[in-house]
Amino acid sequence: MVSRGQSGTTPSRRDFLRYVAAGAGAVGAGALVTGCAGGAVRKAPVPSGPPRYGGRLRVGVVGGSSKDTLDAHTAVTHPDQARTFQLYDTLLEHDDDYRIRPALAESVESDPQATTWTIRLREGVEFHHGKTVTAEDVIHSLRRIADPDDPKNGAVGLSSLDLGAMRAMDSRTVRLTLSRPDVTLPDQFAEYSNGIVPVDYDPARPVGSGPFRHDSFDPGQQSLFTKNPRYWRDGEPYVDELVIIDFPDDTARINALLGGQVDAIDQVPLGLLRVLDADPNLRLLESETGSWLPFTMRVDRPPFDDVRVRQAFRLVVDREQMVRQVLGGHGRVGNDLYAPADPLFNSALPQRRRDVAKARQLLREAGKEGLTVELVTSPVAAGVVEAAQVFAQQAADAGITVTIRRVDTGEFFGDAYLSWDFAQDFWFTRNFLAQASSGSLPDSPYNETHWDHPEFNRLVREARATTDEARRRDLIARAQQIEWESGGYIVWGFPNQLDAHSVRVVGLAPDKSGIPLNSYGFRHAWLAQ
Amino acid sequence: MSRMLLKRVLLGVVILWAVSVVVFLATQALPGDAARAILGREATPERLAALRAQLHLDDPLWLQYASWLGDLLRLDLGESYSNGMPVTELLSARLNNSLALMVCATVISVPLSVLVGTYSALRRDKAFDHATSVVSLVLASLPEFVVGILLVLLLSTGALNLLPAVYVMTGSGSAWSDPVQLVLPTLTMVLAVSPYIVRIMRATMIEVLESEYVQQARLKGLPERTVVLRHALPNAIGPVAQVIALQLAWLAGGVVIVEFLFRFPGIGFALVDAVNNRDLPVVQTLTLAIAAVYIVVNLLADVVSLAANPKVRSAAR
């Protein structure tokens, strides 16, 4: 941090971090005044009737920088993600309730062993340059993502693919033979990072089959898209042009929405929620999600290698207070389990509640009274640092001293990432098996708690190979029970996704995925008069 | 005088070199590297290794620095780590935009402040002088982001909806193509630098107006206009030039915060971005450019005060 009072005439001018905080506050205060001046806020009703065509939709998206990309398979930032949804289609997709449904593929089916899969493509879908989407394009895309020499974001999820055993049966049918049974393949095919690109794909000329075509792109600044007139979904998209504008700073993004320079923004900071809600021209879009902001305890290192310590830490959390203070009430409490949106989620387990006496007793039994731990936190997502502070206070009631070490995101995701003893992280909505494969198995790429429980591993692997849903439900229920009893995550809550848009924008709905603005679903948005 | 100039220019080059070393070491001291920053959470060991090899991040430090310096001497600023574009291409539009902002701010603030400062001095202790005093003190004590936010509240999102609150690129991407969007950032910068110039102008002018040669000029019966313009102003401008120089130099660096606030696509915005991405070639180029502005502006100020003051001019020989 830059210090104050340096030489020169302007001591506090370069005091950068303070600016961000004070800026957001000042905007909030000022806008609140103007918001209240109008008395009770009456918003225009949501327009009914048929969607209106035409116009230019301008969207402000958090983050973005000069490393922005249009590549279908390497999105990192939110603007990257937002662009991916416009340019490319996936074989399957998640609906607003996070259920999987067909998209580019009419069907994706497996044999009873879940090792041979058949993808049947929709007929007559065209890429932006006029070529029809065929089985060859699907094979090329999967090969590009899982390429062992240059793996893309989706490579880990597709690790069960046998790249040499992908066959085009005819122009619309692909047959995949997996190296191990995997029922999570449909989950992977519905991930936005696994879009289908043509065989002649070149990221410098980003061609997909999505609702919008690429027009211009200035990394870190903005990108312009035009309507794909031959899009395969009837009637969509409605707007002629779409501009996605990067906003690394919250204040600028909010000001742009308040000033009418953009029609929609993602990620409304909690502190500014009431300000935006008080504006008659704006509407909030709030979605319950399965995103989670866990505390991560390394189960293979002291003090958390003792399950009693992990249990004590889970018991010390006042989850309602967390949701109230960290999320301003915009969220739901968690039960130390992820994947609440999964239809197979084990909801039979009792909700864990705060029990300080029990926590103290467990610590005493473990010989860890008066324990001091360091919690590594970083603003990797909204609410993470605040959650660390609230946790430290709550843990103090059980005689635990939590020293908070705040690092910047670069350091957090740096060389020590995934090896902090006690830290935090954030995850979007995923179904149980897909999430467990990403973070809870010994060979998972993001096993931040170093969780390696033989029975859990066996249950997850067996569930991944079980096509019978009732049987899979049992296996998952047992795996989740083990996790609930002795896992290394503290899953205290699921924050809601909060976005905002002008009352003119119609067609965006709440969405469980945790991906902002209805999974950046601008293809079904339209502009009212 | 020309010998002194030559010495100062050489010294400037040495300072620039020192800056480049410090900045290089400072960026190395930041946790993480460009490969980590670019891949973010998607940084699997295989992808990290591939990217590091591609960017030569595994080379020893001295070699990385030497190759950068070598390229620089051949006037090659290298390529951005983040997106592979040549730095010159990446930054020329940004530099142009920042320059637009700085030129607008300078052209408005310098004559305006000299005028207001002089007038205050002439109307010493009258209502205008008091008002100027209070306003300039208040503005000088407010950091420019507060000024900027208040302007946004007043003119675009709150009371009035006259001007765009943030900069959103239209058309060609050059800031000159859409001057309306330049108004708020320029106004913020003008309000940030003017108070200091006004205050020093007033103080110096008062001092000069009380001096014996001005008395003498008045006693000779010269019109007040001539007294002020011919006799007082040239003598007051020396110290003022120094402060103006400091303020202009500040513009080069301070533009960072104003650009961030208004999301203005200039060098300040690019610098924040480059530091976050550990994009060394871009960071080096920008800091050197800003340092060069400091050096040149200070040099110019010295030349102006020398030219304006015969005593100093002869003493420097």
Side-chain angles (χ1 to χ4, degrees):
Chain A
M1 169 131 189
V2 182
S3 65
R4 303 189 64 143
Q6 66 217 50
S7 63
T9 50
T10 55
S12 64
R13 284 183 160 168
R14 286 141 228 182
D15 209 345
F16 209 63
L17 296 173
R18 291 170 59 90
Y19 143 68
V20 177
V27 170
L32 198 62
V33 172
T34 54
C36 293
V41 180
R42 197 161 299 149
K43 305 205 186 218
V46 179
S48 53
R52 194 175 145 265
Y53 281 87
R56 167 188 270 221
L57 178 64
R58 301 155 305 165
V59 186
V61 178
V62 67
S65 77
S66 56
K67 69 178 184 185
D68 279 7
T69 175
L70 289 170
D71 193 305
H73 303 138
T74 61
V76 176
T77 62
H78 275 95
D80 286 348
Q81 215 181 359
R83 285 186 288 266
T84 305
F85 277 97
Q86 317 314 319
L87 290 172
Y88 311 100
D89 280 318
T90 45
L91 292 169
L92 304 172
E93 65 183 10
H94 289 115
D95 67 8
D96 294 344
D97 287 320
Y98 207 69
R99 284 183 304 243
I100 290 173
R101 65 176 180 198
L104 272 188
E106 267 175 10
S107 67
V108 174
E109 284 160 350
S110 81
D111 66 343
Q113 284 74 44
T115 46
T116 307
W117 288 78
T118 310
I119 303 167
R120 182 81 181 143
L121 284 174
R122 196 175 288 275
E123 192 173 3
V125 179
E126 284 178 17
F127 285 113
H128 299 151
H129 57 4
K131 183 189 162 320
T132 307
V133 181
T134 65
E136 295 298 335
D137 301 309
V138 174
I139 291 175
H140 174 76
S141 304
L142 295 178
R143 201 165 270 153
R144 183 172 191 270
I145 297 164
D147 181 1
D149 295 326
D150 184 11
K152 308 297 189 300
N153 295 359
V156 174
L158 295 175
S159 58
S160 61
L161 277 186
D162 180 349
L163 294 185
M166 302 193 282
R167 296 277 174 276
M169 309 305 284
D170 61 50
S171 68
R172 283 172 54 208
T173 314
V174 183
R175 172 79 39 89
L176 305 173
T177 310
L178 305 191
S179 52
R180 61 173 162 79
D182 187 3
V183 295
T184 69
L185 209 56
D187 287 273
Q188 305 302 338
F189 287 162
E191 285 288 324
Y192 68 90
S193 52
N194 294 335
I196 301 304
V197 296
V199 282
D200 57 356
Y201 182 69
D202 174 5
R205 194 171 151 257
V207 167
S209 62
F212 290 94
R213 299 176 190 203
H214 159 249
D215 184 295
S216 71
F217 172 53
D218 188 355
Q221 288 294 316
Q222 66 183 49
S223 39
L224 175 65
F225 301 88
T226 53
K227 172 180 182 158
N228 174 4
R230 291 197 298 267
Y231 191 52
W232 55 274
R233 280 183 232 248
D234 279 341
E236 295 179 356
Y238 299 109
V239 297
D240 291 336
E241 284 184 314
L242 170 69
V243 193
I244 294 177
I245 305 167
D246 289 17
F247 280 96
D249 177 45
D250 281 346
T251 311
R253 195 166 74 258
I254 301 283
N255 282 340
L257 182 69
L258 288 171
Q261 286 179 286
V262 295
D263 305 303
I265 59 167
D266 65 352
Q267 325 268 35
V268 176
L270 274 176
L272 297 178
L273 214 52
R274 288 168 68 180
V275 175
L276 297 189
D277 204 24
D279 191 317
N281 298 315
L282 301 178
R283 226 188 284 286
L284 288 175
L285 179 63
E286 178 161 5
S287 309
E288 286 193 353
T289 74
S291 308
W292 45 302
L293 309 170
F295 292 95
T296 60
M297 305 178 281
R298 254 188 87 163
V299 302
D300 61 340
R301 298 242 305 157
F304 300 112
D305 55 348
D306 188 328
V307 66
R308 290 170 295 194
V309 177
R310 302 204 291 273
Q311 284 168 343
F313 271 60
R314 284 168 155 194
L315 283 170
V316 97
V317 185
D318 182 341
R319 289 149 208 264
E320 278 81 13
Q321 190 188 35
M322 277 277 191
V323 169
R324 225 169 29 241
Q325 293 200 349
V326 177
L327 306 177
H330 296 271
R332 291 163 303 145
V333 294
N335 194 22
D336 296 327
L337 294 174
Y338 44 77
D342 191 331
L344 305 183
F345 180 79
N346 184 351
S347 42
L349 292 167
Q351 171 64 48
R352 184 163 280 134
R353 298 193 184 284
R354 185 170 212 227
D355 188 342
V356 175
K358 184 84 194 295
R360 277 186 184 276
Q361 184 199 335
L362 283 165
L363 287 173
R364 200 158 46 237
E365 283 167 22
K368 296 274 169 42
E369 277 170 292
L371 183 64
T372 298
V373 289
E374 183 186 76
L375 172 58
V376 179
T377 189
S378 175
V380 293
V384 169
V385 175
E386 293 80 357
Q389 286 156 353
V390 175
F391 178 80
Q393 284 167 18
Q394 296 180 349
D397 294 344
I400 306 166
T401 311
V402 178
T403 47
I404 294 177
R405 178 172 154 212
R406 185 185 162 141
V407 300
D408 78 354
T409 52
E411 187 174 356
F412 187 82
F413 291 128
D415 292 325
Y417 180 51
L418 304 178
S419 46
W420 306 113
D421 284 348
F422 187 36
Q424 288 164 283
D425 206 346
F426 80 101
W427 289 92
F428 284 133
T429 307
R430 268 192 188 75
N431 283 336
F432 175 80
L433 286 176
Q435 178 63 48
S437 304
S438 298
S440 296
L441 292 181
D443 56 356
S444 297
Y446 302 107
N447 191 343
E448 40 207 353
T449 63
H450 292 234
W451 175 245
D452 184 5
H453 189 290
E455 196 190 347
F456 179 91
N457 299 347
R458 190 183 56 74
L459 287 166
V460 170
R461 289 191 181 121
E462 194 181 335
R464 274 202 311 214
T466 304
T467 45
D468 176 43
E469 198 172 292
R471 168 103 186 103
R472 198 158 75 229
R473 183 188 295 275
D474 285 348
L475 293 165
I476 290 177
R478 271 160 57 202
Q480 289 206 303
Q481 173 138 22
I482 293 171
E483 178 106 49
W484 186 80
E485 282 163 358
S486 57
Y489 283 123
I490 303 176
V491 185
W492 54 268
F494 301 97
N496 292 351
Q497 175 64 36
L498 292 161
D499 309 309
H501 56 77
S502 143
V503 287
R504 283 184 68 220
V505 180
V506 192
L508 297 175
D511 166 17
K512 279 191 182 162
S513 70
I515 299 172
L517 288 167
N518 202 179
S519 298
Y520 297 116
F522 306 130
R523 63 180 165 81
H524 46 75
W526 52 279
L527 293 166
Q529 280 299 353
Chain B
M1 176 124 159
S2 56
R3 249 189 71 201
M4 186 219 72
L5 269 181
L6 188 70
K7 246 165 72 184
R8 290 287 300 270
V9 169
L10 284 177
L11 190 66
V13 173
V14 174
I15 291 172
L16 281 182
W17 172 76
V19 167
S20 83
V21 174
V22 170
V23 171
F24 180 81
L25 293 177
T27 36
Q28 296 300 327
L30 289 173
D33 64 3
R36 278 257 176 226
I38 289 166
L39 292 173
R41 229 177 123 179
E42 309 289 347
T44 54
E46 301 81 40
R47 294 183 71 179
L48 270 181
L51 192 57
R52 280 192 181 135
Q54 201 186 320
L55 299 176
H56 303 288
L57 296 179
D58 292 324
D59 292 352
L61 279 190
W62 65 267
L63 188 62
Q64 288 187 42
Y65 180 78
S67 76
W68 173 81
L69 193 64
D71 287 344
L72 181 71
L73 294 179
R74 274 179 276 121
L75 297 180
D76 173 8
L77 293 168
E79 282 161 4
S80 158
Y81 286 170
S82 307
N83 55 18
M85 268 163 73
V87 172
T88 32
E89 193 185 319
L90 189 75
L91 293 182
S92 60
R94 302 296 184 94
L95 266 173
N96 189 18
N97 289 347
S98 283
L99 218 58
L101 203 54
M102 283 163 62
V103 167
C104 288
T106 311
V107 166
I108 295 172
S109 66
V110 171
L112 186 77
S113 333
V114 168
L115 210 68
V116 170
T118 310
Y119 194 67
S120 283
L122 293 174
R123 304 240 128 196
R124 193 176 170 190
D125 291 331
K126 301 255 171 58
F128 180 86
D129 183 35
H130 285 306
T132 311
S133 247
V134 170
V135 171
S136 64
L137 264 178
V138 168
L139 284 175
S141 59
L142 285 177
E144 74 281 0
F145 61 82
V146 174
V147 175
I149 285 168
L150 290 176
L151 285 176
V152 168
L153 279 177
L154 191 68
L155 296 174
S156 65
T157 62
L160 303 162
N161 197 342
L162 293 177
L163 295 162
V166 297
Y167 187 92
V168 175
M169 207 165 45
T170 49
S172 66
S174 162
W176 296 109
S177 65
D178 195 0
V180 178
Q181 304 212 61
L182 274 174
V183 175
L184 274 185
T186 305
L187 199 54
T188 309
M189 307 255 279
V190 167
L191 291 182
V193 297
S194 296
Y196 300 91
I197 309 179
V198 170
R199 293 192 70 79
I200 189 77
M201 189 67 219
R202 175 183 176 275
T204 327
M205 200 63 186
I206 284 174
E207 204 178 299
V208 171
L209 286 176
E210 280 171 354
S211 65
E212 284 170 6
Y213 61 86
V214 171
Q215 299 285 346
Q216 177 68 28
R218 280 191 177 134
L219 287 173
K220 274 201 308 200
L222 289 175
E224 188 64 12
R225 214 182 129 88
T226 316
V227 172
V228 172
L229 290 181
R230 287 278 310 277
H231 297 269
L233 203 57
N235 282 296
I237 214 79
V240 174
Q242 295 289 343
V243 169
I244 291 176
L246 264 179
Q247 292 301 312
L248 294 189
W250 172 80
L251 276 181
V255 78
V256 173
I257 286 168
V258 174
E259 288 184 2
F260 206 71
L261 178 65
F262 292 101
R263 200 191 155 278
F264 186 86
I267 54 168
F269 200 77
L271 184 59
V272 173
D273 200 68
V275 170
N276 282 336
N277 286 335
R278 315 286 190 255
D279 194 344
L280 193 65
V282 178
V283 174
Q284 287 277 33
T285 306
L286 287 176
T287 40
L288 284 189
I290 292 171
V293 171
Y294 263 81
I295 291 168
V296 169
V297 167
N298 276 309
L299 189 59
L300 284 180
D302 287 351
V303 172
V304 170
S305 19
L306 287 184
N309 189 333
K311 261 193 279 178
V312 182
R313 191 162 58 215
S314 48
R317 279 215 180 93

